[in-house]
Amino acid sequence: QELKYKTGQIDRRTFVRSLLATSVALPTALSIAGSVEAATPKRGGLLRVGMGHGSTTDTLDPGTHENGHSMATRYACSNHLAEVGPDGQLRPELAESYSSTDAKTWVFDLRQGVEFHNGKTMTSEDVIASLQHHMGEDSKSAAKGLLTAIESMKADGPNRVIIELATPNADFPFIMSDYHLAIMPVVNGSLLVGGVGTGGYVLETFDPGVRAKFKRNPNYWKADSAHFDEVELISIIDVAARQNAMMNGDVDVIDRVDPKTVALLGRAPNLNILELTGTLHYTFPMRLNVAPFDNYDLRMALKYSLKRQELIDKILLGHGALGNDHPISTANRFHASGLEQREFDADKAAFHYKKSGHSGAIQLSASDAAFAGAIDAAQLIAASAAEAGINIEVVREPKDGYWSNVWNKKGWSACYWGGRPTEDWMFSAAYTNDTEWNDTAWKGTESSAKFNDIVVAARAELDDNKRREMYAECQRLINDDGGTICPMFANYIIAHSKKVAHGADVASNWDLDGCKLSERWWFA
């Protein structure tokens, strides 16, 4: 009966009567009916989103997108070959399916009959031109590096694209979900770069650094999405102004709620707070090419000297999750859930410290340029390490020049990483031998050599079960031998009006339901 009510086959009175017939009390029956109604998407209304992102330099060229406002704008008006669903799993989008037998040759079969906002039907020509926009020596696209492995692309008829890679990559379809790689139309032989896409909303107004306004696409190919009549994405960088707009009812949703005031917002009778653990994490990298961090036992002593929960409680004010000295969060597909959580242990810290043979102060460089509260976090680490007899000297570094003069240079410092949507992407960004951002200089050890070999092998492995085992081993190797201390993952904190509803699953690959709330949420 619930399904019939959800789909409009029976009315509210009939549904309530059916519940009463099963001996459910009337107040309970009315409550159940209300819950079903709230969980059933409805069409209509203007959604106003206050965002802590946006810049006057923003453009409608997807290759230039660099912040959450641009991302949400792009996802509202465009689609991609693949997307991350609310459950965090990759699924086809403009591609009806994708497949490969060797992770090197990828076949994308496109959905047929999908229309751009200008009325043009999408074909393989549009897909190839859209990807080529980010490729080549002259490209200034932020996604250029993602596509360097592509050796060739060709159309096999109007609805199939075949992409050849230089080296195998089982995560290649995941890369196709990147917000830069929007599919745009070819008009008169040239790619129409801008806001014309196949998405749920047609862009009406784009005022960089101020707002983007949309109306619903009446011909949207996803029948169960894009429920609002209109959407307005408003840039409100100042967190106090953004939260005041939410409290006053000037917007319906805001992102990046301040942990210091989230409790206050949560007490407002007309608001809901939604928290999700994504891939954002705070680290304290120890560089293996700077003494004394080249010593395994010294690194292990410092890893055991942290009180991780205290850092979450006092720095994130509880709005985060425990890190385990590797960069893969529970939001990632292949998070190693079986890896034992490292805890503060003064005895083990003292044991490894003595074994290292080190004496004297160990310098930890920190600045709030790394993340809000980084200096306080460093002082908490120094206090807990002192319980194990380890002397840590916190060096307050200036904010200006921190990323060029301190991070990736000094032996031990504070840092943050936004994370990456796949394990391979994260490892390749910060841990493999060939990346300039290997901020722990984790090279030359037996474990790092093993790690690099596994990363290359896992990239070509199409069996998800085998990849899960391989990536679990990668996380174990970083946790044990690596120079990363990763005590915490910071939550995405969203506030929204109780009039706004969303599905049971909310994606955490990006903020705001993977930045796709415009097509996934609705007014209850």
Side-chain angles (χ1 to χ4, degrees):
Q1 292 292 74
E2 183 176 320
L3 180 60
K4 287 183 178 180
Y5 184 37
K6 272 186 176 181
T7 55
Q9 296 176 55
I10 59 175
D11 60 17
R12 178 184 172 90
R13 179 177 292 180
T14 304
F15 179 61
V16 170
R17 280 179 176 171
S18 71
L19 292 172
L20 295 175
T22 60
S23 301
V24 173
L26 180 59
T28 304
L30 293 173
S31 176
I32 292 172
S35 297
V36 172
E37 289 161 17
T40 305
K42 295 180 180 63
R43 181 73 55 86
L46 163 65
L47 176 72
R48 301 159 303 167
V49 186
M51 303 189 69
H53 304 269
S55 170
T56 55
T57 58
D58 291 344
T59 80
L60 288 175
D61 178 346
T64 68
H65 294 347
E66 61 179 10
N67 63 63
H69 192 276
S70 295
M71 194 189 309
T73 297
R74 180 53 56 188
Y75 278 139
C77 64
S78 296
N79 299 119
H80 300 65
L81 288 179
E83 69 168 332
V84 177
D87 60 356
Q89 299 300 307
L90 189 70
R91 63 190 188 188
E93 194 176 31
L94 287 177
E96 195 167 54
S97 66
Y98 41 78
S99 60
S100 177
T101 57
D102 59 2
K104 194 174 179 182
T105 301
W106 285 95
V107 178
F108 292 86
D109 286 310
L110 308 180
R111 294 186 191 276
Q112 299 183 33
V114 174
E115 284 189 3
F116 288 100
H117 299 154
N118 62 359
K120 181 186 185 297
T121 299
M122 179 199 68
T123 68
S124 50
E125 177 189 29
D126 305 305
V127 171
I128 290 173
S130 296
L131 296 179
Q132 285 175 334
H133 174 65
H134 306 275
M135 300 167 65
E137 289 183 14
D138 297 331
S139 171
K140 299 293 191 293
S141 171
K144 181 178 179 179
L146 293 177
L147 304 181
T148 52
I150 293 179
E151 281 201 332
S152 68
M153 292 188 289
K154 68 178 181 181
D156 184 11
N159 301 307
R160 174 176 283 182
V161 174
I162 300 174
I163 299 177
E164 294 279 352
L165 305 181
T167 55
N169 188 345
D171 276 337
F172 185 71
F174 222 115
I175 290 171
M176 291 296 100
S177 73
D178 183 85
Y179 58 93
H180 299 98
L181 305 181
I183 303 306
M184 298 173 285
V186 172
V187 177
N188 297 325
S190 299
L191 186 68
L192 183 61
V193 177
V196 176
T198 58
Y201 294 92
V202 179
L203 182 63
E204 288 191 305
T205 305
F206 179 68
D207 191 353
V210 182
R211 73 187 64 228
K213 191 165 185 182
F214 308 82
K215 65 179 180 180
R216 190 179 190 280
N217 175 7
N219 299 319
Y220 194 34
W221 59 274
K222 292 186 187 179
D224 59 344
S225 299
H227 308 290
F228 303 106
D229 289 334
E230 297 175 282
V231 172
E232 192 169 9
L233 304 176
I234 308 164
S235 176
I236 313 176
I237 301 295
D238 182 75
V239 66
R242 192 164 65 252
Q243 292 180 172
N244 284 336
M246 185 75 249
M247 296 283 280
N248 296 336
D250 296 328
V251 293
D252 306 297
V253 182
I254 60 170
D255 62 2
R256 306 187 81 179
V257 173
D258 188 342
K260 293 185 179 71
T261 52
V262 67
L264 176 66
L265 261 70
R267 287 197 292 270
N270 59 330
L271 301 183
N272 282 335
I273 300 294
L274 177 63
E275 285 200 50
L276 300 161
T277 300
T279 57
L280 172 63
H281 55 287
Y282 298 155
T283 66
F284 294 88
M286 302 175 285
R287 294 187 63 79
L288 271 70
N289 63 351
V290 179
F293 307 105
D294 54 345
N295 185 292
Y296 170 87
D297 284 291
L298 183 97
R299 297 197 299 276
M300 193 58 73
L302 294 175
K303 290 175 184 179
Y304 276 119
S305 69
L306 268 77
K307 295 181 179 178
R308 290 168 173 75
Q309 189 61 51
E310 181 183 50
L311 291 170
I312 291 171
D313 294 342
K314 294 182 178 179
I315 304 302
L316 300 180
L317 303 178
H319 301 285
L322 286 171
N324 201 16
D325 298 339
H326 65 74
I328 306 303
S329 88
T330 53
N332 288 95
R333 273 189 301 168
F334 300 119
H335 171 75
S337 57
L339 186 62
E340 183 180 354
Q341 175 65 50
R342 182 168 287 134
E343 305 279 0
F344 171 74
D345 192 319
D347 292 336
K348 286 184 179 178
F351 168 80
H352 283 288
Y353 185 63
K354 183 179 180 181
K355 192 176 176 184
S356 75
H358 184 271
S359 62
I362 301 171
Q363 289 193 336
L364 170 54
S365 292
S367 164
D368 284 355
F371 57 85
I375 292 173
D376 290 340
Q379 290 171 336
L380 288 172
I381 292 171
S384 60
E387 295 181 34
I390 302 172
N391 180 15
I392 293 175
E393 177 190 340
V394 176
V395 180
R396 290 172 175 260
E397 302 282 1
K399 287 185 181 180
D400 187 45
Y402 182 80
W403 297 109
S404 55
N405 301 326
V406 179
W407 174 75
N408 223 4
K409 288 184 174 63
K410 292 203 174 181
W412 192 18
S413 63
C415 179
Y416 85 96
W417 283 90
R420 297 293 185 272
T422 70
E423 289 74 10
D424 179 74
W425 208 334
M426 187 67 237
F427 294 150
S428 299
Y431 292 88
T432 53
N433 286 339
D434 55 359
T435 173
E436 293 181 13
W437 284 7
N438 186 336
D439 61 4
T440 56
W442 187 41
K443 304 173 184 179
T445 70
E446 187 177 325
S447 290
S448 69
K450 185 177 181 182
F451 167 84
N452 277 270
D453 289 343
I454 295 174
V455 168
V456 172
R459 193 177 293 152
E461 179 56 65
L462 288 168
D463 185 321
D464 272 2
N465 290 324
K466 291 180 181 177
R467 293 183 84 209
R468 185 177 301 280
E469 292 175 6
M470 296 164 91
Y471 285 138
E473 178 65 2
C474 286
Q475 290 163 69
R476 188 196 67 77
L477 289 166
I478 294 173
N479 166 277
D480 177 61
D481 184 63
T484 290
I485 292 177
C486 177
M488 51 188 166
F489 287 82
N491 286 355
Y492 294 128
I493 312 176
I494 302 162
H496 66 80
S497 162
K498 288 187 176 176
K499 295 177 183 177
V500 175
H502 53 75
D505 290 326
V506 178
S508 58
N509 58 310
W510 299 111
D511 208 346
L512 297 172
D513 205 348
C515 242
K516 288 201 164 194
L517 82 165
S518 61
E519 80 159 43
R520 292 177 180 171
W521 293 18
W522 63 90
F523 282 123

